[in-house]
Amino acid sequence: MVSRFKIKTLTEFIIERQYEYPHAKGALTRLLNDIATAAKIVNREINAAGLVDILGYKGKKNIQGEAQKKLDVFANEQFIAALKGGAECCAIASEENEKIISFENEFSEMGKYVIAIDPLDGSSNIEANVSIGTIFSIYRRKTEVGEGGKVIDLLQPGVNQVAAGYVIYGSSTMLVYTTGKGVNGFTLDPSVGIFCLSHPKMMFPDKGIIYSINEGNYIYFDEGVKQYIKYCQEDDKKTSRPYTSRYIGSLVADFHRNLIRGGIFLYPATSKAPSGKLRLLYECNPVAFIAEQAGGKASDGITRIMEKEPETLHQRSPLFIGPKLMVEKTEEFLKKYNN
Ligand code: AHG
Ligand code: MN
Ligand code: MN
């Protein structure tokens, strides 16, 4: 039977949306396409990971001192290669590289954009066949075109993001992104290798029913977070409590589930990690932009994530993200019980 609905591909969708930006010359369109192409290659490798000898540690440590997996390295190389080849991006900040990668060739130096990226998020979950992801953020450069990008081009607050998105390599592979006019999700049809619009205008459900936090860290949490967890577990039909607890350990997968089902994700500061674990530039800011565009909120407990001024490329931040009311409730608890 012929479907009544025409499939809309990611490429078609991005080009159609270009008219919303009167001065757009297609640069952002080409950037998003480059990211989607690299994501498909990474997806193919992840799917084959069980078949070939690509799992396991590569023997190097990344800037965070965490052991890198082979797939982290592979994904990093793919995104860098895809972006270096175009003429739109002049520099990248990646979780896997201590310093920015500045593209110093005559084409890239004319690029107006820079990208912050976590090429593979949740990589400790790979062996367990659990969903992992890629997270990215796009900014307009601060320096003049004509030379490679500089660190100051990347040290911008999240409010300056031009676009942000993530790819989730899950039971199906999806790309979800925003350019500040809502959030749209595309599912990869693996038989033809095309991302198709499957989740238009994504919004958090009004009512949250899930809380996601690594409760193994409980003893290191401050009183506000402990009290909020207790609140989540109390019985109150009006607010659908007790909430369901769900935690995968991949920010992308936890955030994506909570966006679809309605839930809050918390990675607070702990007594062991006073700034939390997640990285502001390429983990917190991109999901914060998406959350706000989906009617939600993202905060570090006090300050809006996207207003935080970054000082270093790999700086960390506590993260409370989800439906607006849920995040505001957490902030109330932190205010009441901390200090
Ligand atoms: P990455 O694999 O890029 O280093 O990120 C892992 C992050 C994030 O995806 C997840 O939310 C968090 O680490 C989980 O941390 P815990 O294992 O401490 O819960
Ligand atoms: Mn990550
Ligand atoms: Mn990573």
Side-chain angles (χ1 to χ4, degrees):
M1 205 175 82
V2 179
S3 164
R4 287 194 298 126
F5 304 104
K6 187 189 175 302
I7 291 168
K8 178 150 296 176
T9 69
L10 174 65
T11 316
E12 282 172 342
F13 184 89
I14 300 172
I15 291 169
E16 273 176 29
R17 286 296 171 101
Q18 219 172 282
Y19 77 90
E20 288 174 348
Y21 305 89
H23 305 294
K25 293 195 183 72
L28 198 57
T29 304
R30 286 189 289 275
L31 265 184
L32 288 166
N33 266 322
D34 288 345
I35 291 172
T37 304
K40 283 188 233 176
I41 297 170
V42 170
N43 178 62
R44 185 191 61 198
E45 215 64 22
I46 288 169
N47 285 337
L51 302 172
V52 292
D53 180 31
I54 196 159
L55 290 179
Y57 294 97
K58 185 130 186 172
K60 270 199 271 176
K61 290 200 166 180
N62 68 15
I63 176 68
Q64 266 68 237
E66 297 151 349
Q68 280 182 329
K69 299 290 179 73
K70 285 182 183 177
L71 271 174
D72 286 300
V73 177
F74 179 83
N76 195 34
E77 286 166 1
Q78 289 305 317
F79 285 103
I80 293 171
L83 294 163
K84 190 180 186 172
E88 323 301 345
C89 174
C90 63
I92 301 182
S94 164
E95 183 192 10
E96 304 302 335
N97 299 87
E98 182 184 354
K99 299 200 168 119
I100 63 158
I101 301 146
S102 179
F103 297 145
E104 281 157 6
N105 63 67
E106 56 179 318
F107 302 109
S108 304
E109 284 171 357
M110 297 311 288
K112 289 202 281 290
Y113 295 96
V114 292
I115 292 186
I117 191 163
D118 179 352
L120 210 58
D121 172 67
S123 48
S124 64
N125 288 315
I126 297 169
E127 300 98 307
N129 219 346
V130 170
S131 300
I132 48 181
T134 295
I135 320 175
F136 63 91
S137 212
I138 305 179
Y139 293 85
R140 214 163 267 122
R141 73 189 293 176
K142 287 263 170 208
T143 54
E144 293 296 321
V145 295
E147 51 181 0
K150 304 276 180 295
V151 182
I152 53 159
D153 293 319
L154 281 138
L155 292 180
Q156 301 194 46
V159 285
N160 290 359
Q161 288 173 100
V162 175
Y166 60 80
V167 182
I168 174 165
Y169 311 98
S171 45
S172 57
T173 295
M174 276 189 75
L175 188 149
V176 173
Y177 84 97
T178 184
T179 54
K181 290 192 168 25
V183 180
N184 291 283
F186 301 79
T187 302
L188 182 68
D189 178 339
S191 62
V192 284
I194 292 173
F195 281 106
C196 304
L197 180 62
S198 53
H199 294 61
K201 299 187 186 128
M202 295 173 85
M203 294 293 283
F204 276 108
D206 289 340
K207 226 173 166 189
I209 49 157
I210 294 172
Y211 74 106
S212 308
I213 186 167
N214 185 346
E215 282 187 65
N217 291 329
Y218 190 86
I219 55 164
Y220 308 120
F221 292 150
D222 54 39
E223 195 52 29
V225 173
K226 286 180 176 165
Q227 289 294 331
Y228 179 72
I229 293 175
K230 203 165 151 222
Y231 165 86
C232 293
Q233 297 170 345
E234 278 163 8
D235 178 60
D236 177 41
K237 287 204 175 46
K238 258 181 32 207
T239 50
S240 305
R241 285 178 294 146
Y243 297 146
T244 295
S245 168
R246 290 283 181 272
Y247 190 75
I248 295 169
S250 296
L251 172 63
V252 168
D254 279 307
F255 176 79
H256 184 72
R257 182 206 49 243
N258 289 357
L259 173 57
I260 305 254
R261 296 255 186 89
I264 182 167
F265 174 91
L266 310 90
Y267 210 110
T270 64
S271 52
K272 277 178 122 181
S275 302
K277 178 183 184 189
L278 300 175
R279 275 59 64 115
L280 179 62
L281 249 60
Y282 43 80
E283 290 181 318
C284 301
N285 270 333
V287 284
F289 192 16
I290 290 169
E292 289 194 7
Q293 286 294 314
K297 188 170 175 171
S299 134
D300 69 358
I302 300 165
T303 308
R304 181 182 173 210
I305 288 290
M306 295 214 289
E307 283 177 13
K308 289 175 75 113
E309 290 284 344
E311 281 162 19
T312 56
L313 289 179
H314 300 283
Q315 108 184 34
R316 298 173 195 260
S317 169
L319 178 65
F320 302 89
I321 190 165
K324 207 160 178 250
L325 294 178
M326 289 183 106
V327 175
E328 280 168 1
K329 182 59 85 182
T330 327
E331 287 175 332
E332 258 174 51
F333 273 84
L334 300 188
K335 204 167 170 190
K336 185 167 170 197
Y337 292 100
N338 293 356
N339 325 300

